[in-house]
């Protein structure tokens, strides 16, 4: 019997296995990929280090680089631990906005109040993967503002102006993305037909009612805190 009867011909040998991942790329692409991954890793380490120094107890390193840490963390990455506070928040706070727009005819039109928090809530409700932005961006921006302003809406520290800019930027972004003729401007004027001149925000705060089995009396009326008009 021929010992070579079951061996495939030399010309039909299978090709060598192809390298997978980065090893399968050409040399220039491998260099670019490695540099990109290195930059992402360095950025992640930088972010985690600064956030850690921000939330950690005050120490020599955090005091020495306090300005750098604050400039990186505030306002987008500010940490908040109210969930673990002895007295968690027992209020529903809804943020609303209205605009003053100049129509094509040169007429200034003041719009109706528009519930930004209600829109976020509607987007989150029944969503299996709700957006982190819709859950926390507006809420944290308002907390940042109230934490840096007094009851007369006057800044109490250096971060007051930053808090105003952050809150105003969020409101304007929502107005641009979710334009609606009836709620954004009202009175027949559409945002697309005019230019926003000023915006005003307010918070509608309602205390959460006590449970039925409790004897506690809670004032569940809605109280409003209106901010001054901000020029765009």
């Amino acid at each position: 019997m021929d010992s070579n009867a079951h061996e495939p011909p030399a010309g039909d040998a299978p090709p060598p296995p192809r390298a997978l991942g980065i090893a399968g790329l050409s040399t220039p692409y491998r260099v670019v990929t490695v540099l990109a991954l290195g930059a992402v890793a360095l950025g992640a380490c930088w972010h985690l280090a600064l956030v850690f120094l921000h939330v950690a107890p005050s120490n020599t390193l955090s005091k020495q680089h306090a300005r750098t840490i604050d400039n990186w963390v505030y306002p987008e990455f500010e940490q908040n631990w109210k969930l673990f506070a002895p007295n968690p928040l027992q209020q529903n706070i809804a943020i609303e906005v209205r605009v003053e727009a100049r129509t094509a005819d040169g007429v200034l039109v003041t719009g109706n109040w528009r519930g930004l928090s209600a829109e976020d809530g509607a987007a989150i409700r029944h969503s299996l993967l709700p957006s982190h932005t819709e859950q926390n961006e507006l809420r944290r921006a308002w907390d940042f503002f109230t934490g840096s302003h007094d009851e007369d809406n006057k800044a109490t520290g250096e971060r007051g102006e930053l808090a105003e800019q952050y809150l105003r930027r969020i409101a304007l972004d929502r107005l641009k993305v979710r334009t609606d003729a009836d709620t954004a401007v009202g009175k027949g004027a559409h945002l697309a037909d005019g230019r926003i001149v000023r915006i005003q925000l307010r918070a509608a705060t309602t205390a959460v009612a006590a449970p039925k089995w409790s004897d506690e009396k809670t004032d569940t009326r809605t109280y409003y805190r209106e901010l001054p008009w901000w020029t765009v």
Side-chain angles (χ1 to χ4, degrees):
M1 181 181 294
D2 188 357
S3 60
N4 297 325
H6 299 289
E7 294 183 3
D12 297 336
R18 182 177 180 181
L20 300 177
I22 297 178
L25 300 175
S26 61
T27 300
Y29 282 106
R30 283 203 300 268
V31 173
V32 172
T33 302
V34 170
L35 291 177
L37 292 175
V40 172
L42 288 176
C45 292
W46 170 265
H47 174 73
L48 292 176
L50 293 186
V51 172
F52 172 78
L53 290 174
H54 173 69
V55 301
S58 181
N59 54 73
T60 303
L61 189 61
S62 63
K63 292 178 180 178
Q64 182 178 359
H65 301 284
R67 182 176 295 275
T68 301
I69 295 171
D70 288 347
N71 289 340
W72 179 264
V73 171
Y74 294 107
E76 281 84 0
F77 306 119
E78 181 184 7
Q79 304 299 304
N80 180 271
W81 305 105
K82 285 185 178 179
L83 176 64
F84 306 102
N87 297 308
L89 189 65
Q90 297 179 342
Q91 297 173 322
N92 288 322
I93 302 176
I95 309 303
E96 301 175 346
V97 65
R98 65 176 177 177
V99 305
E100 185 180 74
R102 189 179 301 278
T103 66
D105 300 330
V107 179
L108 285 175
V109 180
T110 301
N112 301 321
W113 288 106
R114 171 175 174 175
L116 298 181
S117 297
E119 293 176 356
D120 283 350
I124 294 170
R125 194 172 294 112
H126 306 306
S127 174
L128 297 178
L129 298 173
S131 166
H132 178 75
T133 300
E134 291 168 337
Q135 294 181 79
N136 298 311
E137 182 183 56
L138 184 60
R139 178 181 62 83
R140 294 299 300 122
W142 181 255
D143 286 345
F144 184 31
F145 179 87
T146 55
S148 58
H149 289 72
D150 58 21
E151 294 182 356
D152 296 325
N153 301 318
K154 294 181 180 179
T156 57
E158 298 179 354
R159 293 185 295 164
E161 183 178 355
L162 176 62
E164 293 180 9
Q165 294 176 356
Y166 185 47
L167 190 58
R168 179 168 60 246
R169 186 169 74 242
I170 292 174
L172 285 173
D173 182 65
R174 303 290 181 88
L175 290 170
K176 292 177 181 178
V177 172
R178 302 172 184 171
T179 301
D180 184 87
D182 296 327
T183 58
V185 177
K187 300 182 181 179
H190 194 279
L191 280 176
D193 300 326
R195 180 176 62 87
I196 299 177
V197 179
R198 299 191 303 172
I199 65 171
Q200 184 182 31
L201 288 97
R202 74 175 182 183
T205 303
T206 307
V208 177
K212 295 181 180 180
W213 47 261
S214 174
D215 295 332
E216 181 182 355
K217 303 298 181 182
T218 306
D219 183 4
T220 56
R221 290 177 295 178
T222 301
Y223 294 89
Y224 295 93
R225 175 177 177 176
E226 290 189 5
L227 304 188
W229 284 95
W230 288 337
T231 301
V232 177

